[in-house]
């Protein structure tokens, strides 16, 4: 994963506005050498043999390797087959992962009734993350009758072990007032705890709260820090708000271009125009990028070395 701190040295040295910022994080350690994947590859034959002998835990672990492409070529179909094998032996984590296959339509056709069935089984066997996944289906009425109150209750149960993803989902319910009274304070507390545990969507949502001033004082610097963490964690939907933050500070009072903020504005808007998951946001990013790029063509030329490794890591739009 790309590390935003490397970009920040070149692009992000400027404080956006006077105000509070998060405490500085320790300098990043060197990325591990690529020997890690070789170790996983050595484990695959052992896991395959144990799976053939019927070991559910080995089948589940091997499924995770095929799902992520670690040590083996990525193969969602094979991953889901392995999750199904282990789920058939009531292995809770495999039941949850097999439900994910149906919910996201990866390795299986999308089928919300099937995902609800397997999330329910995983939850019954004590896998708390499945409670909140099932709660999301009740919240949205996917494969089950819509029941926002039940969805909230399931998600609240799902955070008992402090799972960051469940905290984020519960925070979203507090933000939207789904199944519970809207409560920005509770949402912010949950998001901060989840974001501190490196849950990327929590960092994005918390950054948007500071960006918009929703239930917290508007603070561009806090918004920047959390959104950058989200972007580094793979959230492509964090690129556009980052671009907007820097764009707002890209000109001084006399409307002159301020390089220290215009350069990162161009950087994040360029990535958003290519990689944001939503077509309407990609269009918005391009509409914001083009006038600034036209006004500062010299800065556009400086972006190429910074954009190249990000584009390589993000792959095709």
């Amino acid at each position: 994963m790309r590390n935003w701190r490397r970009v920040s040295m070149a692009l992000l040295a400027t404080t956006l506005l006077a105000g509070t910022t998060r405490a500085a994080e320790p300098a990043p350690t060197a990325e591990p050498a690529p020997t890690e994947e070789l170790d996983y590859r050595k484990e695959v034959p052992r896991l395959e043999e144990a799976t053939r002998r019927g070991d559910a835990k080995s089948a589940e672990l091997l499924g995770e390797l095929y799902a992520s492409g670690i040590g083996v070529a990525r193969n969602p179909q094979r991953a889901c087959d392995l999750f199904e094998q282990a789920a058939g032996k009531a292995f809770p984590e495999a039941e949850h992962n097999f439900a994910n296959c149906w919910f996201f339509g990866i390795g299986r056709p999308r089928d919300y009734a099937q995902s609800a069935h397997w999330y329910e089984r995983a939850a019954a066997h004590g896998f708390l993350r499945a409670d909140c996944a099932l709660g999301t289906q009740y919240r949205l009425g996917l494969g089950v009758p819509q029941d926002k109150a039940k969805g909230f209750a399931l998600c609240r149960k799902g955070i008992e072990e402090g799972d960051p993803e469940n905290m984020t989902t519960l925070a979203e319910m507090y933000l939207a007032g789904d199944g519970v009274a809207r409560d920005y304070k509770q949402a912010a507390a949950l998001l901060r705890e989840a974001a501190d545990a490196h849950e990327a969507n929590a960092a994005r949502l918390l950054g948007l709260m500071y960006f918009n001033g929703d239930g917290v004082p508007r603070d561009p610097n806090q918004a920047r820090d959390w959104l950058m963490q989200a972007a580094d964690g793979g959230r492509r939907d964090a690129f556009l708000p980052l671009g907007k933050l820097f764009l707002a500070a890209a000109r001084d009072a006399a409307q002159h271009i301020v390089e220290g903020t215009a350069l990162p504005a161009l950087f994040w808007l360029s990535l958003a125009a290519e990689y944001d998951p939503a077509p309407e946001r990609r269009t918005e990013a391009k509409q914001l990028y083009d006038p600034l790029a036209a006004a500062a063509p010299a800065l556009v030329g400086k972006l190429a070395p910074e954009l190249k490794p990000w584009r390589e890591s993000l792959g095709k739009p």
Side-chain angles (χ1 to χ4, degrees):
M1 181 64 65
R2 284 286 304 160
N3 191 312
W4 66 261
R5 296 178 188 86
R6 294 179 183 173
V7 177
S8 71
M9 297 301 293
L11 300 178
L12 309 172
T14 305
T15 300
L16 288 168
L17 290 176
T20 59
T21 59
R22 287 201 292 145
E25 297 185 15
T29 56
E31 293 184 1
T35 55
E36 190 174 350
E37 183 174 347
L38 295 176
D39 293 337
Y40 280 112
R41 290 170 63 180
K42 291 176 182 176
E43 285 295 299
V44 170
R46 182 187 66 79
L47 291 172
E48 292 277 14
E49 177 58 30
T51 296
R52 283 192 290 271
R53 293 198 306 267
D55 183 69
K57 183 176 182 180
S58 295
E60 198 283 325
L61 288 172
L62 189 60
E64 291 190 20
L65 295 183
Y66 276 106
S68 57
I70 297 175
V72 291
R74 186 173 179 272
N75 187 333
Q77 175 73 49
R78 172 74 169 138
C80 292
D81 290 345
L82 289 160
F83 293 146
E84 182 176 20
Q85 179 178 333
K89 297 187 176 182
F91 195 79
E93 190 167 354
E95 290 171 329
H96 178 266
N97 285 333
F98 189 46
N100 284 341
C101 294
W102 296 105
F103 184 84
F104 293 106
I106 299 174
R108 290 290 187 274
R110 179 168 283 162
D111 187 325
Y112 293 125
Q114 282 280 3
S115 63
H117 167 74
W118 287 102
Y119 283 138
E120 190 167 20
R121 283 190 53 163
H125 293 141
F127 195 74
L128 288 177
R129 185 176 293 181
D131 285 285
C132 206
L134 183 61
T136 296
Q137 293 204 214
Y138 275 103
R139 174 191 175 195
L140 301 175
L142 299 175
V144 293
Q146 187 173 45
D147 187 336
K148 293 186 177 184
K150 182 172 182 177
F152 175 79
L154 283 165
C155 259
R156 186 166 57 181
K157 179 183 178 184
I159 70 167
E160 289 177 5
E161 291 182 354
D163 181 81
E165 290 184 19
N166 286 353
M167 287 181 184
T168 304
T169 303
L170 191 66
E172 288 181 309
M173 293 183 180
Y174 277 117
L175 286 172
D178 274 355
V180 65
R182 180 171 285 158
D183 189 330
Y184 288 117
K185 184 177 180 181
Q186 279 281 5
L190 286 164
L191 290 174
R192 186 175 293 273
E193 186 173 352
D196 282 340
H198 306 291
E199 211 292 306
N201 193 35
R204 181 185 71 90
L205 292 170
L206 190 58
L208 289 174
M209 290 184 74
Y210 281 108
F211 180 88
N212 296 313
D214 290 336
V216 294
R218 188 176 183 280
D219 187 332
N221 296 312
Q222 288 259 28
R224 173 203 60 196
D225 288 353
W226 290 115
L227 287 167
M228 297 262 265
Q229 180 175 318
D232 186 53
R235 294 296 307 203
R236 301 179 182 202
D237 46 4
F239 298 162
L240 179 57
L242 276 168
K244 287 181 174 181
L245 273 172
F246 285 102
L247 183 63
R251 296 177 187 268
D252 61 18
Q255 292 301 298
H256 298 131
I257 299 293
V258 179
E259 180 172 339
T261 47
L263 193 59
L266 289 166
F267 177 85
W268 294 113
L269 289 173
S270 177
L271 287 179
E274 291 182 66
Y275 292 102
D276 193 290
E280 63 274 13
R281 291 198 299 264
R282 292 198 299 272
T283 299
E284 182 183 1
K286 187 159 191 333
Q287 290 171 342
L288 295 172
Y289 174 89
D290 286 345
L292 184 59
L299 295 185
V300 175
K302 294 183 178 182
L303 287 178
E306 297 288 352
L307 286 170
K308 182 180 178 182
W310 276 76
R311 286 173 172 150
E312 288 174 351
S313 67
L314 289 166
K316 293 182 179 180

